[in-house]
Amino acid sequence: MLIDSHCHLNYKGLIEDQANVLERSRAAGVDLMLNIATRESEWDDVLGTAIREPDVWATVGIHPHEADEHPHIDTAKLVERAAHPRVVGIGETGLDYYYDHSDRERQQKSFRSHIVAARDTGLPLIVHTRDAEEDTLSIMRDEMGQGGFTGVIHCFTASGAFADAAMELGFYISISGIVTFKSAKDLQETAARLPLDRLLVETDSPFLAPVPHRGRPCEPAYVADTAKFLANLRGESLDDLAAATSANFRTLFSKVA
């Protein structure tokens, strides 16, 4: 069985057919799905799906793209919402300097608020980073010095050196369908050498459909295609990779029953 460690079931492209999306995922051998929040307006719906579906869990957080629109979301609000038994992680959060949809200082402030919430709740942090490796790592190291926390670098596309540094801080690395793209040679080299006990798989659906589903809305069922590609890349059996990534998920997201 596989676990999709990062999906957006309430986004356009999936929400219109959510019941069938979930059934196709289960038929593909997806045991659990983590439904990720990115803005306050969707928190109730993301959590509602997790309450309704026993194999779906939820997070609470503000994506870096949304930081400008959410200056009122602080650590206290995150901690309050994370108390729900179906909320098992904080995020996604982080830094995105590629699009710069939000002011960089505001992104950094939001990121730190999420880190403190992760520390205070003991829940893992879901980190998005794009074109911001240096600042992401600097903030993580600085905050780690003020008290430990754990988490995952989701939809990993950063450098191998960043992966090594994140793992030194105790973080996991999650691989999405991007690894199947012909253009992803650097990512493939990093993914091939990551320690099996630090590896997760995800779809980030409805985005980034893996080969052979390019051009379609991605959905959690497609995590099976990413896992097959990754297992072949690493010279491992699909069963071993599925078992390890599922065990890693349950270790990291220990609130999952």
Side-chain angles (χ1 to χ4, degrees):
M1 302 298 285
L2 288 159
I3 294 177
D4 185 355
S5 69
H6 192 113
C7 58
H8 300 281
L9 294 170
N10 295 80
Y11 271 24
K12 182 180 178 181
L14 298 183
I15 188 63
E16 303 91 337
D17 193 33
Q18 191 184 81
N20 288 321
V21 166
L22 292 171
E23 285 306 309
R24 287 192 292 271
S25 300
R26 293 159 185 154
V30 180
D31 190 30
L32 294 175
M33 290 156 271
L34 185 56
N35 197 20
I36 304 293
T38 59
R39 58 181 73 89
E40 185 184 20
S41 62
E42 69 190 26
W43 286 1
D44 288 342
D45 289 339
V46 167
L47 178 56
T49 300
I51 292 170
R52 186 175 65 251
E53 305 292 342
D55 52 355
V56 176
W57 298 81
T59 70
V60 60
I62 303 297
H63 193 286
H65 289 341
E66 306 291 333
D68 280 354
E69 303 301 320
H70 293 81
H72 60 291
I73 299 299
D74 56 11
T75 294
K77 287 184 172 63
L78 293 165
V79 170
E80 178 184 3
R81 293 302 298 263
H84 193 284
R86 300 296 295 181
V87 174
V88 299
I90 304 294
E92 66 185 281
T93 181
L95 305 176
D96 193 311
Y97 295 171
Y98 181 82
Y99 286 109
D100 274 329
H101 287 330
S102 286
D103 175 77
R104 292 186 179 186
E105 288 188 6
R106 191 160 288 167
Q107 289 186 50
Q108 293 167 16
K109 182 178 179 181
S110 178
F111 188 24
R112 288 184 185 273
S113 294
H114 284 71
I115 291 173
V116 177
R119 184 187 299 126
D120 288 352
T121 61
L123 297 179
L125 191 72
I126 299 96
V127 176
H128 168 112
T129 183
R130 189 170 185 188
D131 282 10
E133 289 186 27
E134 183 177 348
D135 283 356
T136 300
L137 193 56
S138 176
I139 289 172
M140 288 170 59
R141 283 173 169 158
D142 180 58
E143 291 290 343
M144 197 69 73
Q146 300 178 49
F149 58 96
T150 188
V152 55
I153 308 298
H154 108 88
C155 193
F156 186 84
T157 56
S159 67
F162 182 89
D164 293 338
M167 289 187 294
E168 286 177 7
L169 293 174
F171 270 61
Y172 290 73
I173 306 296
S174 184
I175 302 297
S176 74
I178 293 174
V179 77
T180 70
F181 299 178
K182 289 182 179 179
S183 59
K185 297 303 181 184
D186 289 346
L187 174 59
Q188 290 167 7
E189 290 179 6
T190 300
R193 67 168 180 81
L194 291 173
L196 187 57
D197 64 357
R198 286 286 159 182
L199 192 62
L200 298 177
V201 287
E202 66 170 86
T203 58
D204 202 14
S205 52
F207 313 112
L208 306 173
V211 175
H213 306 289
R214 301 293 293 134
R216 307 177 195 170
C218 191
E219 55 186 71
Y222 298 168
V223 76
D225 298 279
T226 297
K228 289 174 186 175
F229 182 94
L230 189 57
N232 183 64
L233 178 70
R234 294 169 56 86
E236 297 162 349
S237 73
L238 177 58
D239 285 347
D240 286 347
L241 183 110
T245 54
S246 295
N248 294 342
F249 178 91
R250 291 182 179 277
T251 297
L252 179 61
F253 293 95
S254 57
K255 191 175 171 181
V256 172

